[in-house]
Structure formats: C-alpha cells, structure tokens
Amino acid sequence: MAFKIASSPHTHNRRSTSNIMRTVIFCTVFGVAAQWLFFGWGTLIQILLASSVAVVTEAIIVKLRKRPIMPYLRDNSALLTGLLLGLSIPPLAPWWITVIGVIFAILIAKHLYGGLGQNLFNPAMVAYVVLLISFPVQMTTWLPPASLSAEPVSLIDSVYSVFTGFTQDGFSVHQLRMSVDGVTMATPLDTFKTSLTTGLTASEAMANPIYGAIAGIGWEWVNIGFLIGGLIMLKMRIIQWQIPAGMLGMLFLISSIAYILNPDGTASPIFHLFSGATMLGAFFIATDPVSACTTVKGRIIFGALIGLLVYLIRTWGGFPDGVAFGVLLGNMCVPLIDYYTRPRTFGHS
C-alpha cells in the first residue's frame, strides 16, 4: 500500500478540498446578491470574467507543469480565487484590470509557490493589493448605490462599460459615479475619512446621504449578506470560529475605545463592522486554511492582528479600507505565531 501525503488545507470534518471550496462559493451568494442589488450588473460581470480567467489560467499553468489538469480544476480553488477577486473589484472596472489581477493571483501568488497548499499569502488579496497600488484610479471607481445614482446602469450598459469604458449612450464611468445631486460619489469609508480631513465632525460627516442606518447605503447589506454566509459556514464547520471572532472582536474593541475617547473624530464600532470588506474578510478571506494560522491560540491572535491592522489603516493609512493589507501582513506573521503557540507535546515539560 502506498502512503499518500497531501498538502494543506487539512480539516477534521471529513470533507474533500473540492467540497469545502464549493461550499464556500455557495455561501457567498447572500453577499453577492446584495452587492448586485445595490451596485448593479457589473458585480456579476466581474465575477464571471474573473472566475473564467482563473479556471483557464489554472488549466494552462497545470498543463505547462505537466500535471493532470482535471484534478486541479475539480478542487475549485481557482474558481474561488476568481470569485473573491471579482467581488473586490469595482463593478465597472475595465476588463483588463480583472484579467491582470486573476493571472497574477493564479500564476504568481499561487503556482510560483508550488500550487494549492504551498502559497504563503492569500492569492486573491495579493492580486487585489497589486492592482490597488498599480491602478489606484480604476480600483477606487465604485458606483453609488442604485437609489442614489443619477444614471441607472442596465445589463447592456454594464457590459459596454466594462469592455469599452462607455455605456451605449456614451456615458463614461466617471459620469456614472454622479449621484442624483450631481456629486461624484466615493465609498462610505473614503467619504468619512475625507470629511474628517476637511474639518467636519463624525456626526456631521454621517449626515451625508450616502450613509444608511448603520453604515453606508448598500454596504451595510453587503456585509450582512456575507455575515449570514459566514455563520452558515461556522454551523457546517467549514471554518473555525477563532479567526472571525478575533478579527471582529479586536476591530470592535479598538474602535469602541477610540469612539469613547474621541466621538467627534472617529467612526462608531458598528460603522467599522458593517463597512467595506469587513465581513467578507473575516469569514471568507482571513479564514483561508492554507495561509492562516493552524493552532487554536494562533488563529485568535492572527484574527486579532488583522482586526487591529484594519482599524489602523482605515484611520491613519493612505487607503480607505485595510482588509487586504491586514490579511497579507497577518500572513507574514503566521510562521512566528504558529511557532510560539504550538501545543506542548505530551510528556514534555
């Protein structure tokens, strides 16, 4: 009998890698639906484009490595990477942004390290950060929620915008970002940070119509959608509770302390929890079993470190959201965290 040693991810729930990846993909449906509802067809176009390019790129690289193609495609890891990156890219970003990002994620961040189970960093987040640094304008052109948009964008207009830069009627992406009152819209996190730099207080900044009941219009429901999907994964034991609890707990704690000390200059903890990519990061990205910590204590520390970094970057960093940077910086610390949180070997003092 041959003894087969498989690479990570390793789990104790008797599920195959392909089953785990497929379940994670299905659990994103709530967040995807909310993002499509509030930000239009571009979300689905980017997901479809990113997923297709990811699968094709995976097949080509595996073929070049002289490995059997179908076993690699059936594990659904490339499909999940494409989905996560597609969700992170603005709905009407140019098609070539998505193609470059996906190829970088699969080729450089995944297969350059040896493939699934060998990558040190989350491939989707590596690609996202590369795109954000290289193409900051295209990667920050999020549309206003549908209820605030001056120009509704249909499916055909979305396809035209992604592949040509203009709608059928000749509107550019910049023009589509206009709200009903003629103001160019930014994301709630970016708007809040900019408002504080102009001398407004937090309460004055939150009076902007872009904000809803607890966070930005649309974004609060997107986060609730990913929260629902994350709770389902916890119930099914697809992921462990320690990383989401550590990340969300630390983000809530540090933002609560800051809000108590300076309510006029900081956002509320609820705003931080339901803005940007918080829930997507906590449940679907930071919990990557390959690039995250493996010990119980280590996962809590890893999650808490990401939560702290997200708050620091959002508050004082040069980018409005810090989830991707927080995850990658946390990935760098995984070997050190795992080393100092290893369970003591039985029989050793």
Side-chain angles (χ1 to χ4, degrees), residues 210-291:
I210 196 175
Y211 299 107
I214 57 177
I217 293 177
W219 291 100
E220 53 194 14
W221 288 105
V222 171
N223 277 276
I224 290 172
F226 287 121
L227 172 60
I228 293 172
L231 294 177
I232 292 175
M233 290 195 295
L234 286 174
K235 178 68 175 178
M236 298 177 66
R237 296 186 178 181
I238 297 296
I239 60 175
Q240 302 295 321
W241 62 269
Q242 292 92 351
I243 292 176
M247 176 179 167
L248 298 178
M250 175 58 76
L251 182 58
F252 180 82
L253 176 63
I254 193 69
S255 59
S256 295
I257 294 173
Y259 189 68
I260 292 172
L261 295 177
N262 184 20
D264 290 333
T266 57
S268 70
I270 299 299
F271 176 82
H272 276 288
L273 290 179
F274 292 94
S275 291
T278 301
M279 296 299 172
L280 177 65
F283 290 100
F284 293 91
I285 296 173
T287 54
D288 175 17
V290 176
S291 57

Side-chain angles (χ1 to χ4, degrees), residues 1-288:
M1 289 180 63
F3 182 73
K4 182 180 179 181
I5 300 177
S7 63
S8 57
H10 301 296
T11 64
H12 301 281
N13 53 19
R14 297 185 179 182
R15 293 176 180 268
S16 64
T17 298
S18 62
N19 183 273
I20 292 173
M21 299 293 179
R22 186 166 56 248
T23 304
V24 173
I25 291 171
F26 288 153
C27 287
T28 64
V29 67
F30 304 99
V32 171
Q35 196 161 314
W36 163 70
L37 180 63
F38 285 97
F39 299 102
W41 290 99
T43 295
L44 301 185
I45 295 171
Q46 296 292 355
I47 291 173
L48 180 61
L49 177 61
S51 300
S52 302
V53 175
V55 171
V56 172
T57 304
E58 178 93 345
I60 293 174
I61 295 173
V62 170
K63 180 67 175 178
L64 292 175
R65 295 179 63 188
K66 299 181 180 180
R67 305 286 180 86
I69 295 176
M70 292 313 299
Y72 282 82
L73 297 185
R74 288 196 191 104
D75 67 21
N76 296 312
S77 61
L79 190 62
L80 179 59
T81 297
L83 170 63
L84 294 176
L85 186 57
L87 279 169
S88 305
I89 292 176
L92 299 187
W95 63 271
W96 50 268
I97 288 280
T98 304
V99 171
I100 291 174
V102 171
I103 293 176
F104 192 94
I106 301 298
L107 175 60
I108 305 298
K110 181 181 179 182
H111 281 282
L112 190 64
Y113 288 94
L116 181 64
Q118 310 298 325
N119 49 287
L120 301 179
F121 304 97
N122 184 289
M125 291 301 96
V126 171
Y128 175 80
V129 168
V130 168
L131 291 176
L132 185 62
I133 294 174
S134 303
F135 312 103
V137 175
Q138 291 83 355
M139 287 297 292
T140 54
T141 53
W142 283 86
L143 296 180
S147 60
L148 299 178
S149 179
E151 287 291 336
V153 185
S154 66
L155 172 60
I156 300 300
D157 285 334
S158 298
V159 173
Y160 268 80
S161 296
V162 170
F163 289 98
T164 69
F166 297 91
T167 66
Q168 280 185 301
D169 296 326
F171 289 103
S172 67
V173 176
H174 176 73
Q175 290 171 315
L176 294 175
R177 293 181 65 201
M178 295 291 184
S179 66
V180 290
D181 59 1
V183 177
T184 301
M185 302 290 285
T187 61
L189 285 169
D190 195 13
T191 301
F192 185 85
K193 179 181 287 188
T194 303
S195 297
L196 293 182
T197 60
T198 60
L200 296 179
T201 64
S203 58
E204 291 171 338
M206 293 295 290
N208 191 306
I210 196 175
Y211 299 107
I214 57 177
I217 293 177
W219 291 100
E220 53 194 14
W221 288 105
V222 171
N223 277 276
I224 290 172
F226 287 121
L227 172 60
I228 293 172
L231 294 177
I232 292 175
M233 290 195 295
L234 286 174
K235 178 68 175 178
M236 298 177 66
R237 296 186 178 181
I238 297 296
I239 60 175
Q240 302 295 321
W241 62 269
Q242 292 92 351
I243 292 176
M247 176 179 167
L248 298 178
M250 175 58 76
L251 182 58
F252 180 82
L253 176 63
I254 193 69
S255 59
S256 295
I257 294 173
Y259 189 68
I260 292 172
L261 295 177
N262 184 20
D264 290 333
T266 57
S268 70
I270 299 299
F271 176 82
H272 276 288
L273 290 179
F274 292 94
S275 291
T278 301
M279 296 299 172
L280 177 65
F283 290 100
F284 293 91
I285 296 173
T287 54
D288 175 17

